[in-house]
Amino acid sequence: MAVTFRIEEAVAGADVIMMLRIQRERQQGGAFPSAREYYNLFGLTEKRVAGARGDVIIMHPGPMNRGVEIDSAVADGPYSVILAQVTNGVAVRMAVLYLLAGGTLGELAD
């Protein structure tokens, strides 16, 4: 596995791009750049997505900081599965919590 600090290199030829939410509330130490600087250096833009495969899948678990880690045009674009990912993520977490609380798989299917 190669390590890079340039998003253009990271997404080059990618089948899937998974972005994560920047937790700005935890970035108080001063080591984190401004939101604008972060976006300019690491934000997923249409230009950067163009370096990936033509049928790339764009993912993000939500909630998104639009204009920080991902551009709205990318998040809402034709290769984005973000809404389905968030919807399914809620259902999966609910099912796991149900099972942890003592429910059974049979009851879950009903």
Side-chain angles (χ1 to χ4, degrees):
M1 173 184 283
V3 175
T4 182
F5 296 97
R6 297 190 63 242
I7 190 169
E8 294 83 3
E9 291 175 10
V11 302
D15 298 316
V16 177
I17 301 171
M18 171 72 157
M19 298 302 290
L20 297 177
R21 178 176 172 264
I22 299 302
Q23 296 180 338
R24 292 186 283 182
E25 63 275 10
R26 295 186 183 182
Q27 305 298 329
Q28 305 300 328
F32 192 79
S34 69
R36 177 176 289 177
E37 184 179 6
Y38 184 90
Y39 178 76
N40 289 336
L41 291 172
F42 306 112
L44 189 60
T45 63
E46 289 181 295
K47 182 178 178 181
R48 289 177 171 144
V49 170
R53 287 182 43 139
D55 59 348
V56 66
I57 295 171
I58 307 295
M59 301 180 75
H60 190 298
M64 289 181 280
N65 293 307
R66 291 172 182 262
V68 179
E69 66 252 3
I70 190 166
D71 189 79
S72 287
V74 174
D76 300 327
Y79 303 109
S80 173
V81 297
I82 295 169
L83 291 178
Q85 179 184 358
V86 170
T87 300
N88 291 331
V90 170
V92 167
R93 286 190 294 280
M94 288 173 60
V96 168
L97 288 172
Y98 173 79
L99 293 171
L100 289 172
T104 65
L105 285 174
E107 292 173 336
L108 191 60
D110 292 337

